[in-house]
Amino acid sequence: MPLPGLVDAGRARPGLAVMAVWKAVGTALAVSLLAGPPAQAAEPRPPVGASAIAGAWRVKDSTAIFRIRAHRGAVRVTGSDGPRGERFVVTNIRWDGRVLTGDFLMPSTNWLTHSELVLVRRDVLAGQYADGSPEVWLRTR
């Protein structure tokens, strides 16, 4: 992809490519400087038992609802699409004391998501979808 302002290298004015690169680098540097120093990483929370995430959950900005159960240290998750009641196929569930990991398939649409959700508060699990948008589960009870 040519740099802005360059039609082809044979007809370009000398130095135009260097100016375009400097402008891009300078803009990136300015943005970096405005952002300030990197934030200090928060101390990781100590692991908690599976009972900490047991309960009913709903996905923010969605009609999906889930039930998380703790049984003998293991986690079991079931879920459905609220209004239609269609059940998710839930596989590969794991709770390491900090992160709930699993795969969720909606059979009618073949929609599959892999979730890695961190318990950020007693009533909030948060992560990101593959496209980078936030995935937030809120405890309902």
Side-chain angles (χ1 to χ4, degrees):
M1 176 178 195
L3 293 170
L6 293 179
V7 176
D8 87 46
R11 295 186 302 178
R13 292 188 308 234
L16 190 56
V18 172
M19 288 174 22
V21 169
W22 175 249
K23 183 178 177 185
V25 170
T27 301
L29 179 60
V31 169
S32 175
L33 291 173
L34 288 173
Q40 291 291 332
E43 286 292 319
R45 291 181 167 196
V48 294
S51 61
I53 60 170
W57 297 81
R58 71 175 180 83
V59 179
K60 185 178 179 181
D61 301 325
S62 171
T63 55
I65 56 175
F66 292 94
R67 166 74 67 184
I68 300 175
R69 292 185 174 89
H71 181 69
R72 297 184 183 172
V75 173
R76 295 200 173 113
V77 179
T78 57
S80 63
D81 182 25
R84 297 189 332 225
E86 182 178 2
R87 293 189 173 272
F88 284 93
V89 175
V90 181
T91 57
N92 302 317
I93 293 297
R94 195 173 128 244
W95 171 249
D96 69 2
R98 292 186 181 96
V99 179
L100 175 67
T101 305
D103 297 318
F104 304 88
L105 171 70
M106 180 55 64
S108 65
T109 61
N110 212 28
W111 180 77
L112 174 67
T113 185
H114 173 78
S115 296
E116 293 182 6
L117 301 164
V118 176
L119 184 63
V120 293
R121 288 197 311 263
R122 181 188 172 289
D123 57 349
V124 178
L125 287 163
Q128 285 186 339
Y129 290 109
D131 68 1
S133 62
E135 179 179 10
V136 179
W137 290 24
L138 304 170
R139 189 189 305 264
T140 60
R141 34 184 169 122

